[in-house]
Amino acid sequence: MAVESRLMWDSLVAETQFATELVITGLRRLCSVPTEPGVGGGRLSNDRNYSLHVGMYSYSSGLERLCKLAIACNGYAANGEFPKLKKYNHKIGGLLDAVEELVPSGLGTSMRRAKYLTRPEDDLDPELTNMVERFANGDGRYEYLDSLWKDKPEVSTFNEWSVLAAKVSVPEEVLDLIALKDAMVYAIEAELADVGLESSSQRVREDLALPTYVPSVGVTLKLYRKVRWVAEILDVATYYTSQGIPILGEVVSPTLTQTTVNFFRYDIARISDEEPVTEELEDVYARIRKREAEEDEEDY
């Protein structure tokens, strides 16, 4: 019995790690969905639109798994038995509603931050949740394949995303982080080229230079708030329970339990601390400007 329990707890931890990684991968990719005028145009005209499907596939799968983990662990903590989850299928809206109806008890309720235990209100809902659910159910995931044999194919995920992206605003602090990230990329590329690593670093530089579109960042941060709430519920449901469930909050934390701005800072822009980064960039840009001035003089 002890061996079975150990295997069951290991499975819970592994599933939580899997779901967390899926969510993070999805959110990072969604920040790169092109939304600037003239890019995409909806439908099938631009092959860069597929990044939306990569991000949505990972995010929706990760969110679904975290919801099911929260429901399952809350039920086990209360009754000593995992509830059946098959009825939820890929219905994201139903899963979020079910998580909202949970009544976590025990030490975790008083220890956790209350502000993240309440389902976040979103001015993009119900459209945002409906888009995620439509994608998760298969209409979005397979719309490119389905378009191959349908007379009137409907490839609408990008159009839905664009409509939502046009409605959001991004905090000034996040805009500053985006600008700092772009400055970091330029500086790193320039320094690598200067020391003769332009060809060797090409693939690395391509990853660094993955574009960030502000409207898509706005939608992505709203999706993050949803998953943060679910992660906090999962944390509470597994915090020192009488059933001995692993504390899964230690798996989702700190990535999925931090503020929206910090999530973007640390896990999207990959900036550890703005002050030393800014100081380093000032030195680097001084060298870059000096090199450019010398090159201009030689050309003259």
Side-chain angles (χ1 to χ4, degrees), residues 243-271:
Q243 304 290 354
I245 301 174
I247 303 174
L248 299 179
E250 294 180 355
V251 179
V252 298
S253 180
T255 304
L256 298 184
T257 57
Q258 58 190 330
T259 66
T260 303
V261 172
N262 279 345
F263 172 73
F264 186 84
R265 173 183 289 112
Y266 300 129
D267 294 280
I268 302 298
R270 307 295 186 91
I271 298 171

Side-chain angles (χ1 to χ4, degrees), residues 35-87:
T35 55
E36 62 188 16
V39 175
R43 311 210 60 81
L44 297 172
S45 61
N46 193 295
D47 60 4
R48 292 167 67 192
N49 293 350
Y50 85 96
S51 61
L52 172 60
H53 290 69
V54 175
M56 285 292 291
Y57 192 94
S58 294
Y59 173 80
S60 61
S61 180
L63 177 62
E64 176 187 326
R65 289 169 180 273
L66 286 175
C67 286
K68 290 179 176 178
L69 280 165
I71 297 167
C73 291
N74 190 76
Y76 191 87
N79 308 311
E81 185 177 351
F82 289 113
K84 303 296 183 181
L85 300 175
K86 190 173 182 179
K87 64 179 180 179

Side-chain angles (χ1 to χ4, degrees), residues 13-27:
V13 172
E15 177 67 13
T16 307
Q17 291 172 318
F18 182 32
T20 301
E21 186 71 20
L22 282 172
V23 165
I24 296 170
T25 299
L27 292 172

Side-chain angles (χ1 to χ4, degrees), residues 137-181:
N137 272 325
D139 290 341
R141 283 189 296 169
Y142 299 109
E143 61 185 1
Y144 284 147
L145 280 175
D146 290 344
S147 70
L148 300 178
W149 47 75
K150 286 184 177 180
D151 293 334
K152 296 181 179 180
E154 183 179 359
V155 183
S156 59
T157 303
F158 182 83
N159 293 334
E160 293 175 2
W161 180 271
S162 298
V163 170
L164 295 172
K167 298 178 180 180
V168 297
S169 59
V170 175
E172 193 69 31
E173 192 172 358
V174 173
L175 294 176
D176 291 341
L177 289 168
I178 292 173
L180 185 57
K181 171 182 174 291

